């Protein structure tokens, strides 16, 4: 990811995007790494003019930032929520970044008095951030002051940004310097600065967003109008109008993309919730069946143990009946009666055998007996001699 970021800074967005999307880049492992990856990819796509894809990546970065549950990461992706999150977490550095984002929003909304108040408060905190960030912060402070009608103070802050220059936020500096010179009545250098920037941009690569290009054309048109070059004024105003319409169209498309992305995220959340609900229902059903099976096994075991324990009492009536039949045969003289008594005796024997087998099976189920074989044919009970 660092190599891809370096290619992007070297104005090679196509190569950076190929590296990000290729197999050479290790997949992000946690939410914070995903947030950084999505944010980097969004910047690269914006440089390539793929604004819809860039918007999707920015929303993915925002979603990943919220998933980190870290206030500093949330603050870097949000404006309104950022200062509250950083204050709650005591994250001073992230709070400064959040305040700078808030300053940009105030200037864009035309709330200049509040923007000046934020600028004065932030000037006292600049020593807590890196020199590169101080450079960018002083440019933003100068932009806020020139929009508030304080060009002299704005120029002083912009000159301070040059002294702090490390990375070189040249586009932001150019935009702010042109506006300051126009506010001071120095229209010729303001026009030259804007035209020089527009002429030096590499073909096919727009490192400016439509809003930044609109600011350039507006500053150039204002300078040309003050210098009396009406043809150039009309040309820059026409290009500015085209950029404005482009911004409006992209704004509408961004709203549509926002709704689509929110719908996709909501659908994914619903799918995850439904899957979790089904999983919990399956776990509950499995636990219910396991409990039912345990209850059935316990009942069966209790029945088997009862039969095994009561086997003597259950066998005793059958033994008594067999003894009574044997005693009866001793008092019978008639052959027909003897035959009938013999058949009764065989039936009692068969009943006793089957009863013994049933009780033996119960004792085996209860674990209290060994197996033994027994067979009987009830049909013989009624056979004649």
């Amino acid at each position: 990811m660092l190599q891809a970021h370096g290619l992007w800074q070297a104005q090679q967005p196509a190569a950076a995007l190929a590296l990000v999307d290729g197999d050479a880049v290790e997949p992000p492992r946690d939410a914070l790494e995903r947030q950084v990856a999505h944010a980097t990819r969004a910047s690269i796509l914006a440089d390539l003019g793929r604004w819809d894809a860039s918007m999707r990546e920015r929303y993915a970065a925002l979603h990943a930032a919220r998933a980190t549950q870290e206030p500093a990461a949330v603050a870097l992706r949000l404006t309104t929520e950022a200062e509250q999150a950083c204050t709650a977490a005591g994250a001073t550095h992230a709070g400064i970044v959040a305040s700078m984002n808030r300053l940009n929003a105030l200037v864009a909304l035309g709330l200049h008095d509040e923007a000046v108040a934020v600028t004065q408060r932030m000037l006292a905190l600049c020593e807590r951030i890196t020199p590169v960030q101080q450079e960018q912060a002083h440019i933003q402070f100068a932009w806020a002051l020139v929009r508030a009608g304080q060009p002299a103070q704005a120029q002083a802050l912009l000159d301070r940004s040059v002294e702090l220059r490390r990375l070189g936020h040249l586009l932001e500096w150019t935009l702010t310097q042109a506006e300051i010179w126009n506010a001071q009545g120095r229209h010729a250098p303001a026009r030259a600065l804007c035209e020089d920037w527009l002429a030096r941009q590499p073909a096919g690569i727009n490192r400016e967003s439509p809003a930044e290009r609109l600011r350039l054309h507006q500053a150039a048109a204002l300078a040309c109008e003050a210098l009396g070059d009406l043809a150039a004024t009309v040309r820059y105003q026409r290009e500015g109008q085209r950029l404005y319409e482009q911004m409006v169209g992209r704004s509408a498309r961004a709203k549509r993309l926002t709704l689509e992305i929110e719908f996709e995220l909501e659908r994914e959340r619903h799918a995850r919730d439904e899957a979790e609900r089904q999983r919990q229902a399956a776990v509950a059903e499995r636990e219910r069946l396991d409990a039912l099976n345990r209850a059935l096994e316990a009942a069966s075991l209790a029945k088997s143990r009862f039969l095994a324990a009561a086997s003597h009492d259950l066998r005793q009536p059958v033994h008594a009946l067999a003894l009574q039949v044997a005693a009866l045969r001793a008092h019978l003289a008639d052959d027909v009666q003897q035959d009938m008594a013999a058949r009764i005796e065989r039936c009692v024997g068969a009943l006793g055998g089957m009863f013994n087998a049933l009780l033996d099976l119960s004792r085996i189920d209860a674990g209290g007996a060994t197996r033994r074989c027994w067979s009987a044919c009830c049909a013989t009970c009624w056979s004649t001699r």
Side-chain angles (χ1 to χ4, degrees):
M1 188 58 64
L2 290 176
Q3 186 178 359
H5 189 77
L7 290 173
W8 172 64
Q9 289 290 343
Q11 298 187 5
Q12 300 179 35
L17 182 62
L19 187 59
V20 170
D21 293 340
D23 296 335
V25 178
E26 182 181 356
R29 289 167 297 198
D30 57 27
L32 183 58
E33 290 180 353
R34 290 199 305 273
Q35 184 260 326
V36 173
H38 284 302
T40 301
R41 198 166 189 273
S43 300
I44 295 172
L45 290 169
D47 280 354
L48 293 172
R50 295 168 57 181
W51 301 103
D52 290 357
S54 176
M55 179 66 70
R56 290 182 182 276
E57 291 295 325
R58 291 189 188 280
Y59 267 87
L62 175 60
H63 183 68
R66 284 176 171 154
T68 62
Q69 300 298 320
E70 296 181 8
V74 177
L76 291 172
R77 301 306 306 168
L78 305 177
T79 54
T80 304
E81 300 176 15
E83 288 186 322
Q84 297 176 353
C86 293
T87 301
T92 304
H93 181 271
I96 293 174
V97 176
S99 296
M100 298 304 300
N101 290 334
R102 182 167 175 262
L103 176 62
N104 286 336
L106 291 171
V107 174
L109 292 172
L111 303 174
H112 301 303
D113 292 341
E114 191 173 351
V116 170
V118 172
T119 297
Q120 293 173 349
R121 178 171 58 86
M122 294 302 300
L123 279 170
L125 301 176
C126 271
E127 297 301 325
R128 302 184 183 183
I129 57 179
T130 66
V132 173
Q133 292 172 324
Q134 289 184 39
E135 174 196 352
Q136 185 178 17
H138 278 77
I139 295 174
Q140 290 179 264
F141 297 155
W143 180 47
L145 291 181
V146 71
R147 288 296 180 93
Q150 303 179 24
Q153 296 89 333
Q155 186 63 62
L157 290 173
L158 195 63
D159 292 340
R160 176 58 180 161
S161 75
V162 176
E163 298 174 4
L164 295 168
R165 182 167 293 173
R166 296 292 187 275
L167 181 61
H169 297 83
L170 298 180
L171 174 58
E172 295 87 344
W173 181 89
T174 299
L175 292 170
T176 306
Q177 184 65 80
E179 292 188 16
I180 292 174
W181 280 343
N182 275 329
Q184 292 174 337
R186 302 176 60 188
H187 302 296
R191 175 182 179 177
L193 185 62
C194 293
E195 291 179 344
D196 180 67
W197 178 270
L198 292 172
R200 287 189 295 107
Q201 294 312 297
I205 297 180
N206 293 325
R207 294 195 66 85
E208 316 93 349
S209 67
E212 292 168 334
R213 290 182 68 85
L214 176 60
R215 284 181 61 190
L216 276 171
H217 283 82
Q218 287 175 337
L222 181 60
C224 291
E225 183 179 6
L227 294 171
D229 190 345
L230 298 183
T233 301
V234 172
R235 183 174 70 252
Y236 285 120
Q237 287 179 344
R238 183 181 296 125
E239 180 64 16
Q241 181 64 27
R242 186 189 67 81
L243 289 169
Y244 176 76
E245 292 175 355
Q246 183 180 4
M247 289 174 55
V248 171
R250 284 178 176 165
S251 176
R253 188 161 57 249
K255 291 180 181 179
R256 175 179 57 81
L257 285 173
T258 300
L259 293 175
E260 291 179 358
I261 293 168
E262 290 179 352
F263 174 75
E264 291 173 1
L265 292 175
E266 183 62 29
R267 184 172 59 182
E268 290 178 3
R269 285 193 292 268
H270 177 73
R272 288 195 300 268
D273 292 344
E274 180 64 20
E276 179 63 19
R277 187 190 65 79
Q278 293 180 359
R279 187 190 68 80
Q280 293 178 355
V283 170
E285 179 65 14
R286 185 167 59 250
E287 291 177 350
R288 187 186 70 83
L289 293 176
D290 290 343
L292 182 60
N293 287 334
R294 288 193 296 270
L296 291 174
E297 291 175 359
S300 177
L301 184 60
K303 179 263 300 179
S304 299
R305 287 176 176 172
F306 170 75
L307 291 175
S311 60
H312 174 74
D313 295 334
L314 294 174
R315 282 192 179 98
Q316 188 173 5
V318 177
H319 290 322
L321 181 58
L323 292 175
Q324 293 294 332
V325 171
L328 179 62
R329 291 188 64 182
H331 298 283
L332 296 176
D334 186 82
D335 292 339
V336 175
Q337 293 176 343
Q338 285 287 342
D339 181 64
M340 183 176 293
R343 283 185 288 178
I344 292 174
E345 190 175 19
R346 286 195 297 270
C347 289
V348 171
L351 177 61
M354 289 187 291
F355 201 25
N356 289 335
L358 176 62
L359 294 175
D360 287 343
L361 288 175
S362 299
R363 289 196 301 177
I364 292 172
D365 290 339
T370 58
R371 298 179 182 271
R372 67 182 180 86
C373 296
W374 176 88
S375 63
C377 181
C378 294
T380 59
C381 296
W382 300 101
S383 63
T384 59
R385 290 182 178 179

